[in-house]
Structures are given as C-alpha cells and as structure tokens.
Amino acid sequence: MTIRAIEWDHTAGRDRTGAVRLLDQTLLPLRTEFRTVECTDDLVTAIRELAVRGAPALGVAGALGVVVAMDEAAREGWDDQGLLAAVDRVRHARPTAVNLAWGVDEVLPLMAAGRGAVLEAALRLAHEDEAANRHLSRLAADWLLERIDRPRLRVLTHCNAGILATSGWGTALGVVRELHARDRVEVVYADETRPLLQGARLTAYELAREGIPHVVQTDSAAASTILRGLVDLAVVGADRIAANGDTANKIGTLGVALACRDAGIPFIVAAPWSTVDLSMSDGSKIEIEERDGDEVTRWAGIRVVPEGTQGFNPAFDVTPARLVDAVSTERGVAEPRSGSDLAMLARATVAPKR
C-alpha cells in the first residue's frame, strides 16, 4: 500500500515552494481525494474535521504545520507574535493526542535556523515515525507469538491505527500486518467505531487493500465476540499513554479491555514512543476531547433522535494500566498489568531504524 495520509508536496502551493498534502479521510472509502494545505486555518480545520487523524499522523501534521505557518507569515507579513500565535493554534487543535503538540515542539527550536531546517526536521520526524512503527510491530508480534499457542490468530482491533493514522506502516494495524506477513492471521474483527466509523470506513479499507481476512462488527458486539472465545487477542493504538501505562484511545476501547481481562486474553497497545507522556504519572489528568453532539444525533446529516435530545460525544476513554497486558513501542515492550511501567523504557537504547 503506497497511499499516504500526510506528506509534504515540494511543488505544491501558490509559490510552488511546497505545501502539506492530506488524504481526506472524511470521504473514505467512497472517494479518494486529497487536500493541499498551505495556510494555518486550513490545517487546523483539517485536524478538527478528522481529514487527518491518528496520533502519529498528527505528530507529523504538527511539525509540518510549523512550516506552513512560517510560509504564511512570510506571505502575509506577520510579525513574530503573529507567527507564534498561528503555531499555537496548530499545537492545540485537538487536546487528547499528545503527538500533535510533540510534533510542534520537536521543530519549534529550529525556527531561528530558518524554514529549511524546520522542514528537514519535520520530514525526518515522519521518516522516523514509519521506522518506529515497523520496529514496534515486530516487537509486538514476537511478544504475542511467545504467549499464544495457535497456528493463526484471531485478532480484534478498535478504531483505525494503520497507515492512515501514521506516516506509514501503522501501529495496531502494523502489528496485524506483521503477523499477516508471517502467515499468522486467521481473521481480524474490526469494530465499526461509532460515531464516525473509523473501523468500518478506514480499518476495513486498509485490510481489504492488503488482502487480510476480516469482518466488521458493531462496537456493541465486541465484548460478546471476545467472551464467546472467538478472539485470541486485542490490539489497539493510543493517543496518549501515561507513565504507568494508563492509555487514552478511541471511545469504546475500555470496554474491549474489560472483556479481554474477563476472557483471559492479551490486550496490547501499540504506539510509538512519541505517544508516551512521562509528565503524566497516570491517566487521571488526560483531557478527554468532547466533540460536537451532532456526530451522535445525526446520521448522514439526518437527525435520528427526538428534537431537544442532545448528543454526548466523548471522543476517547482511558484504559487503566491494570487492564493493559503490554505496550509495544520502538524502545521495547512494557507490561503495565505486571507492574512494568513506561518509565523503565525511557532510557532504553532505540533500535537502529530499518
């Protein structure tokens, strides 16, 4: 699969000096269209509308967003205060995923060195994200195959944590792709992921393109599927992971983890180190984004609840570390439920990028 969720188009933009190119994920799988983004407001809108989404991809968007802001400042004649205000809007476009702010902060110190230095660092960040995803996927696959004695595995995943959520390869779906490459996947149960159907629209789209056997199920079927013994493991991505292993991910993940614990099967989180927030000792301080209630109360623009009924739409939940069997990052695998927190990996030597 060569499609990219986000990349820098060096020849795009009104001055042909480059712009961000986003695959518009709000239109998948029915239409494949791209947005060319060369102003801060358009990038913030794309992030909030989920045209670009997924924690690792948002990290790249944050870094490239600084370049976009610098180019816009040069065109519009902004002063330093105006430029920094634009960068800050990108940084805070969505609150739960730590990668967005991380991506901005990674390149921000290079602004004094000029646009070229910032762009080079942003592109390097994207390359390193893909390499990290590939490595953490290998580590997760090894961890799982050491513990599950089946020739082929039945995998459940929630939301979309594949190529579309990253700069390349994927995290949770990267693990699935690694297992598939080893001929160890029997079937993937993809939760539909209400209310915006990232599982049905995006995960199924990726699995179909890869030829990986899969079905889509309603979110409410997940616990039953697990407890009926139809699943060997669940693997999910993450938007922020606290030092103790508490994990924020798409709403509905917590229910999957609870069912896995009751069934005695592994619940594993796959995410690059950039998703780990060691400044948070646990997940109690993670801000949970609440999105527009219309996403719940309307279906394809048609109201499906009585007039006067409001929608409650938290976008994420936090799975406690006691339910997380493993967190696989490019630095290694931690086992929060067994008392191994993420801080132990902070000083780990990162494996060479391949």
Side-chain angles (χ1 to χ4, degrees):
M1 180 185 287
T2 58
I3 198 165
R4 297 280 178 175
I6 180 170
E7 57 189 344
W8 183 260
D9 186 338
H10 290 274
T11 62
R14 66 194 72 181
D15 300 323
R16 299 298 179 186
T17 56
V20 175
R21 185 173 186 258
L22 301 176
L23 174 62
D24 189 343
Q25 297 186 39
T26 66
L27 304 177
L28 290 174
L30 301 180
R31 286 160 37 208
T32 302
E33 296 182 10
F34 294 85
R35 296 189 191 187
T36 297
V37 177
E38 53 181 326
C39 72
T40 306
D41 286 345
D42 286 351
L43 181 59
V44 170
T45 296
I47 292 170
R48 290 177 175 166
E49 289 180 351
L50 307 186
V52 59
R53 43 149 298 279
L58 289 177
V60 177
L64 291 177
V66 176
V67 183
V68 169
M70 293 176 73
D71 286 348
E72 190 176 9
R75 288 196 307 267
E76 303 297 331
W78 295 346
D79 59 16
D80 289 346
Q81 185 175 358
L83 171 58
L84 291 176
V87 170
D88 199 53
R89 288 202 303 278
V90 174
R91 192 181 193 279
H92 295 287
R94 294 191 69 193
T96 302
V98 69
N99 302 64
L100 179 58
W102 172 84
V104 170
D105 293 344
E106 281 290 295
V107 302
L108 200 59
L110 297 172
M111 289 178 63
R115 175 190 189 271
V118 176
L119 178 57
E120 181 182 0
L123 296 177
R124 183 171 61 250
L125 184 151
H127 174 74
E128 290 176 351
D129 173 64
E130 180 174 352
N133 293 340
R134 289 178 180 272
H135 187 59
L136 70 87
S137 296
R138 290 190 290 268
L139 294 177
D142 290 344
W143 188 93
L144 288 163
L145 294 175
E146 288 174 1
R147 290 160 175 80
I148 304 175
D149 185 20
R150 278 182 60 91
R152 288 186 175 84
L153 305 183
R154 301 163 300 172
V155 184
L156 184 144
T157 191
H158 188 79
C159 196
N160 171 263
I163 289 176
L164 296 173
T166 67
S167 64
W169 187 255
T171 54
L173 279 192
V175 178
V176 173
R177 296 176 76 194
E178 177 67 23
L179 290 169
H180 178 65
R182 302 185 194 187
D183 195 26
R184 300 301 297 271
V185 175
E186 179 177 319
V187 66
V188 178
Y189 291 90
D191 289 354
E192 62 175 353
T193 327
R194 281 281 294 148
L196 297 180
L197 303 180
Q198 291 97 328
R201 294 188 303 107
L202 306 180
T203 295
Y205 172 83
E206 291 198 40
L207 293 170
R209 286 174 64 99
E210 294 282 338
I212 299 174
H214 66 281
V215 295
V216 172
Q217 66 180 358
T218 63
D219 292 359
S220 54
S224 174
T225 302
I226 292 168
L227 292 177
R228 287 172 62 196
L230 302 178
V231 175
D232 300 308
L233 68 112
V235 58
V236 300
D239 288 83
R240 190 184 298 250
I241 305 171
N244 71 332
D246 289 353
T247 298
N249 194 50
K250 182 57 59 182
I251 191 72
T253 302
L254 175 57
V256 171
L258 287 165
C260 287
R261 177 55 40 232
D262 194 78
I265 65 172
F267 175 86
I268 182 170
V269 176
W273 187 253
S274 57
T275 306
V276 176
D277 186 354
L278 293 179
S279 72
M280 288 191 171
S281 59
D282 59 55
S284 62
K285 298 294 193 298
I286 296 177
E287 181 179 354
I288 300 300
E289 175 186 356
E290 290 193 18
R291 296 183 58 80
D292 191 336
D294 281 353
E295 292 178 355
V296 175
T297 61
R298 295 181 180 274
W299 182 264
I302 300 172
R303 189 173 184 86
V304 293
V305 302
E307 290 292 339
T309 299
Q310 302 298 309
F312 177 54
N313 191 14
F316 303 93
D317 55 29
V318 176
T319 298
R322 67 179 184 275
L323 301 176
V324 179
D325 291 286
V327 176
S328 184
T329 78
E330 71 273 25
R331 290 179 177 266
V333 179
E335 300 180 358
R337 194 172 72 87
S338 301
S340 164
D341 64 15
L342 276 295
M344 60 167 278
L345 298 180
R347 294 178 295 277
T349 300
V350 180
K353 302 295 188 295
R354 291 197 275 171

